[in-house]
Every structure is written in C-alpha cells, then in structure tokens.
C-alpha cells in the first residue's frame, strides 16, 4: 500500500493497489494457513487442536519467566511482582528489542501453563500483569475465593 502511494506521489497522478496478499506475519507464513472450511471441518470432527498454535507461539522471541505459586497468585490478582534474576534467569538484562520495545515478558506457571504477559515498570523494576489468561479448568480449585466471616 505504501509503495503504491509513493509511486502515485512521484508520478503526480495517484495510485492504488488492486490486490494485496500478506505472505508472512511474524513467524507465520501463508503456506501454513488453512481455509475456514477446513477449520470448520476440524471442529466438526474434533481434531481442531492439531491445527492451531498455542497462544504464546508468536511471543517465543520474548523473554520468559517461570513463576512460583506466590508470584503466580499475585499476578492473577493483578498485583505487580519483582522477578528474582537468579530464579527467572531468562529475564535478566531487560533488553528492549524492535519486536519488544516496551520490555514485556511471557509468564508461565511451574507446570508450564501460560499465565500472561508482564510489562516492566521502571524505575521500580516491578513487573505488571498486562494480560492474564484464564486458569486451566483443572486448576480452578487452587484459587477458590476465601470466605471471610
């Protein structure tokens, strides 16, 4: 789109694209795509899980933190946490990159479940839960509400 606009400006006549196809987006290519009909069939025949990527697939180039129970609980409650650079060693350095300019990381539970996306808040060096994903159904009992009399 931009090149058509630039060409039109250079020629002084305007320009537009008649057809545009995205062949790649991040790590995903058009060759890996499936049609909506194929996906509908997969849902109907109960094999859709074999056709989709895990939610964190696009973020695999970001740093990752594996959180203990206390920090996971805090994140699930929307609280900021400080990550121990020796335990969550993949977080050390806090280097921003063009693909991760705002210093974010993936957060996982000890059993490998994706908890959410955390954003570093400076100068406190606290990680804020920017997006928290629902618990797997089997783990809901770990976070039952506490009764107060």
């Amino acid at each position: 789109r931009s090149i058509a606009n630039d060409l039109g400006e250079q020629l002084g006549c305007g320009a537009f694209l008649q057809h545009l196809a995205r062949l790649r987006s991040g790590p995903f290519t058009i060759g890996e795509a499936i049609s909506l009909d194929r996906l509908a069939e997969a849902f109907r025949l109960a094999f859709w899980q074999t056709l989709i990527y895990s939610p964190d697939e696009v973020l695999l180039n970001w740093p990752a933190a594996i959180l203990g129970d206390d920090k996971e609980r805090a994140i699930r409650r929307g609280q900021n946490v400080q990550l121990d650079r020796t335990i969550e060693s993949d977080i050390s350095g806090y280097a921003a990159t063009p693909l991760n300019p705002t210093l974010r990381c993936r957060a996982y539970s000890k059993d490998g479940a994706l908890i959410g996306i955390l954003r570093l808040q400076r100068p406190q060096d606290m990680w804020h839960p920017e997006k928290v994903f629902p618990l797997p159904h089997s783990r809901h009992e770990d976070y039952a509400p506490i009764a107060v009399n």
Side-chain angles (χ1 to χ4, degrees), residues 3 12 18 27 32 38 48 52-53 68 101 103-104 118 120 128 138 149:
I3 195 167
Q18 186 171 1
E32 298 169 289
R38 176 80 169 128
W48 61 271
I52 62 171
Y53 290 103
L103 301 172
R104 291 183 174 95
L118 310 181
L120 181 64
H128 175 73
S138 62
N149 292 335

Side-chain angles (χ1 to χ4, degrees), residues 52-120:
I52 62 171
Y53 290 103
S54 64
D56 62 342
E57 186 76 24
V58 73
L59 307 175
L60 292 179
N61 61 329
W62 286 12
I66 299 171
L67 305 181
D69 294 336
D70 291 342
K71 288 182 182 175
E72 178 182 354
R73 197 170 292 108
I75 291 296
R76 292 202 178 278
R77 292 179 179 151
Q79 299 169 340
N80 293 346
V81 296
Q82 193 161 29
L83 297 180
D84 180 343
R85 293 182 191 190
T86 58
I87 295 172
E88 294 91 7
S89 60
D90 198 11
I91 296 302
S92 63
Y94 306 141
T97 67
L99 295 176
N100 190 3
T102 55
L103 301 172
R104 291 183 174 95
C105 76
R106 301 169 283 139
Y108 295 92
S109 65
K110 291 187 305 188
D111 62 1
L114 179 62
I115 298 169
I117 297 170
L118 310 181
R119 184 183 74 249
L120 181 64

Side-chain angles (χ1 to χ4, degrees), residues 37-59:
D37 289 339
R38 176 80 169 128
L39 185 59
E41 175 188 19
F43 271 99
R44 191 171 40 78
L45 299 176
F47 68 92
W48 61 271
Q49 296 93 336
T50 65
L51 298 177
I52 62 171
Y53 290 103
S54 64
D56 62 342
E57 186 76 24
V58 73
L59 307 175

